[in-house]
Amino acid sequence: MFAQRLKNLKPYKPGEQPKDREYIKLNANENPYLPSPKIKDALKDIELQKLALYPDPDSHELKKAIAKSLNKTGGVLVPAADQKPLGFEITEDMIFCGNGSDEVLSFVFYAFFDSDKPLVSPEFSYSFYPVYAGYYGINLLKVPLNADFTLNTKAMLDVDSTGMIFANPNAPTGMALSVDEIEAMLKAYPKDKVFVVDEAYTDFSGYTVLPLLKKYENLLVIRTFSKSMSFAGMRLGFAVGAPALIQALTTTKNSFNHFPTDAFCQASAIAACSDIEWYSENCRKIIKTRDAFSKALVDSGWNVLPSKTNFVLVSKDGMPGKAVYEAIKAKGILVRYFDIDVIRDFVRITIGTDEQMEKLLEIIRTI
Ligand SMILES: *Cc1c(COP(=O)(O)O)cnc(C)c1O
C-alpha cells in the first residue's frame, strides 16, 4: 500500500504546541509583537471575489513590494553602522516567493544540489537541511563546528561539494559570521556551484550579505517573513539571487505547486512591506530585550552564546538541557532543548517581550 520511499522519510520536528494549559511560547523563535495594523486594512478591503479566483502564481506585486522594501532599508531592518549599502538595485526578477522559507528551501535543494557530490553544511545548523537532503537523496556532509561554536569555514571549503548551505546567523547557536568572512568563502568557492546563505534571523543581526549579490552570481540568499516580520502563521519566505537562479526555482515551483502564496498572503505581505518602520521598531525592541536578558543570565552564572538573533542558546554548568527545559515548562513557559550531543546541555530560548523575559528570569533564578 505504501511506497518504498516513505519508509526512509525522517520528518522535521517543529517546536511543540501543547494544549494542556496556556504556555508562554519561547520555543519556536516566533515574534512576540503584532504585525502591522496596515494588514488589517488591506484584508478588510480584499474583495471576496478574489478568493474565488486563483492568486497570481508568481506573486508579481508582492515581489515588487519586497524589492522596494529591501532597496529602502539596504536589506536589513536595523542596519549596523558599518553594514555596507546594497550598491545596486534589487529587481523583481531577483526574487522568488514561496510558502514559508521551508518550501523555498525545498525547491533550492531540488533545483541546485546533485547526488554525485556531498552538499556541505555545518554540523549544527537549521535542522530542516538534513530532512530535505534525505527527501531528495542528497548526501549531506555535516562539518563539525569549532570548539567555540563558530563555523569551521576552512573544512567546509576543503570539500569537493555539489553546493554549500548554512544559516547566518546560525541556528541554534545564534552566532554569525561577518559579511567579510562570507565573502572570503565565496571567493574560494567554485563559481558554478550554488552557495546558499539562509538569513532567517539577519534582521536581528545588523548585517546582510545581499550586497555581495552584485559580485557573486552563485550566491543565493534565503529570507523569511516568519521571524522579524511577525508572519509565521501566514507562511511566506523568499529567495534573492541572480535571475538565472530565480528562474530555476520558478521552474521547480511550477512543476510542484503553481500557487504557493495565496491571495490573503500576497495582499497582507504587500501591506506589511509598506510599513517597514513598524517592523524595524519591533526588531529594535527585541534586540534590546535580547541583550538585557543575556546580560542578566550571565550575571546569574549562566553561559550564554553571543546571539545575533531573536533567541539565545544558554546553559548552566552541571545541569542538562532537558532538566532546565522541564523545570521551566512546569512553570508555564516553553523553551527548546535538543537531544543531540554537544548541545545537550543547552536550551534555546526565544526572545519575547520584556515582561515575558522578566517572568522567565524569575523562574530561572529558582532552578
Ligand atoms: C525559521 C527558519 C526557517 C523557516 O522559516 P519559515 O519561513 O517559517 O518556513 C528557515 N531557516 C531558518 C534558519 C529558520 O530558523
Side-chain angles (χ1 to χ4, degrees):
M1 190 189 314
F2 302 106
Q4 281 297 331
R5 63 177 81 87
L6 187 70
K7 275 206 309 282
N8 302 323
L9 289 186
K10 293 192 183 66
Y12 176 77
K13 286 197 202 82
E16 60 180 329
Q17 303 182 346
K19 302 278 182 263
D20 56 326
R21 62 181 276 193
E22 282 252 350
Y23 288 96
I24 297 178
K25 272 193 96 243
L26 302 179
N27 67 335
N29 299 341
E30 291 149 318
N31 195 307
Y33 298 110
L34 286 177
S36 161
K38 291 198 174 164
I39 293 179
K40 231 177 195 163
D41 297 336
L43 290 181
K44 217 164 50 207
D45 294 342
I46 203 169
E47 289 166 40
L48 275 182
Q49 179 61 26
K50 249 195 157 162
L51 300 189
L53 304 175
Y54 283 109
D56 174 1
D58 292 312
S59 312
H60 286 293
E61 292 308 314
L62 172 55
K63 289 200 278 191
K64 275 188 220 159
I66 291 173
K68 196 172 159 194
S69 71
L70 290 175
N71 289 323
K72 185 172 166 188
T73 60
V76 58
L77 283 177
V78 186
D82 59 340
Q83 163 66 28
K84 294 205 177 68
L86 281 178
F88 66 102
E89 193 183 339
I90 295 176
T91 45
E92 183 196 335
D93 60 352
M94 298 179 70
I95 295 179
F96 174 85
C97 291
N99 187 267
S101 61
D102 285 343
E103 188 194 61
V104 176
L105 286 165
S106 89
F107 295 152
V108 167
F109 274 63
Y110 188 90
F112 303 120
F113 304 143
D114 271 312
S115 305
D116 57 336
K117 288 178 181 176
L119 167 65
V120 173
S121 188
E123 181 171 9
F124 296 108
S125 200
Y126 186 38
S127 38
F128 227 125
Y129 306 153
V131 174
Y132 284 138
Y135 188 87
Y136 292 118
I138 297 161
N139 166 20
L140 185 76
L141 186 94
K142 295 192 212 168
V143 175
L145 302 184
N146 296 317
D148 61 359
F149 291 98
T150 53
L151 303 198
N152 187 342
T153 58
K154 183 175 179 307
M156 289 167 73
L157 289 168
D158 279 347
V159 182
D160 180 16
S161 60
T162 187
M164 171 85 71
I165 187 165
F166 57 90
N168 197 66
N170 199 16
T173 63
M175 293 165 64
L177 291 174
S178 70
V179 176
D180 286 347
E181 285 170 309
I182 293 177
E183 176 159 24
M185 289 179 83
L186 276 161
K187 266 190 192 141
Y189 196 68
K191 300 288 169 278
D192 61 343
K193 303 278 187 247
V194 176
F195 187 109
V196 181
V197 182
D198 182 346
E199 289 199 331
Y201 300 103
T202 214
D203 283 320
F204 305 105
S205 77
Y207 298 96
T208 170
V209 296
L210 286 176
L212 301 179
L213 285 173
K214 195 178 170 190
K215 248 165 76 190
Y216 302 92
E217 299 218 328
N218 60 332
L219 169 63
L220 190 67
V221 181
I222 310 298
R223 291 289 191 88
T224 175
F225 269 54
S226 294
K227 316 283 166 50
S228 57
M229 300 290 284
S230 305
F231 216 59
M234 194 59 115
R235 312 306 301 132
L236 177 63
F238 63 97
V240 195
L245 301 187
I246 297 306
Q247 189 52 52
L249 291 174
T250 305
T251 301
T252 308
K253 167 190 80 93
N254 290 345
S255 311
F256 181 79
N257 174 12
H258 237 95
F259 305 105
T261 57
D262 63 53
F264 269 153
C265 174
Q266 293 184 33
S268 44
I270 290 168
C273 288
S274 75
D275 199 5
I276 282 305
E277 297 72 22
W278 174 274
Y279 297 98
S280 303
E281 183 52 34
N282 290 344
C283 241
R284 239 177 245 116
K285 282 195 266 190
I286 290 169
I287 292 168
K288 198 164 160 229
T289 307
R290 172 193 73 203
D291 293 346
F293 179 72
S294 300
K295 185 175 178 302
L297 273 187
V298 169
D299 291 348
S300 307
W302 286 66
N303 312 305
V304 182
L305 295 191
S307 171
K308 293 283 181 194
T309 61
N310 68 335
F311 60 85
V312 285
L313 193 68
V314 308
S315 70
K316 175 103 175 185
D317 296 341
M319 234 190 263
K322 187 159 189 263
V324 174
Y325 153 83
E326 279 166 356
I328 296 174
K329 185 176 177 182
K331 297 279 169 75
I333 298 184
L334 293 176
V335 299
R336 189 116 186 228
Y337 84 97
F338 301 88
D339 192 13
I340 314 173
D341 284 340
V342 183
I343 54 170
R344 200 180 293 285
D345 289 343
F346 289 84
V347 292
R348 191 194 70 188
I349 301 170
T350 302
I351 302 302
T353 60
D354 279 331
E355 217 182 3
Q356 291 172 329
M357 302 324 279
E358 267 311 313
K359 207 173 224 172
L360 178 59
L361 270 177
E362 273 169 35
I363 295 169
I364 283 180
R365 287 185 180 125
T366 67
I367 59 180

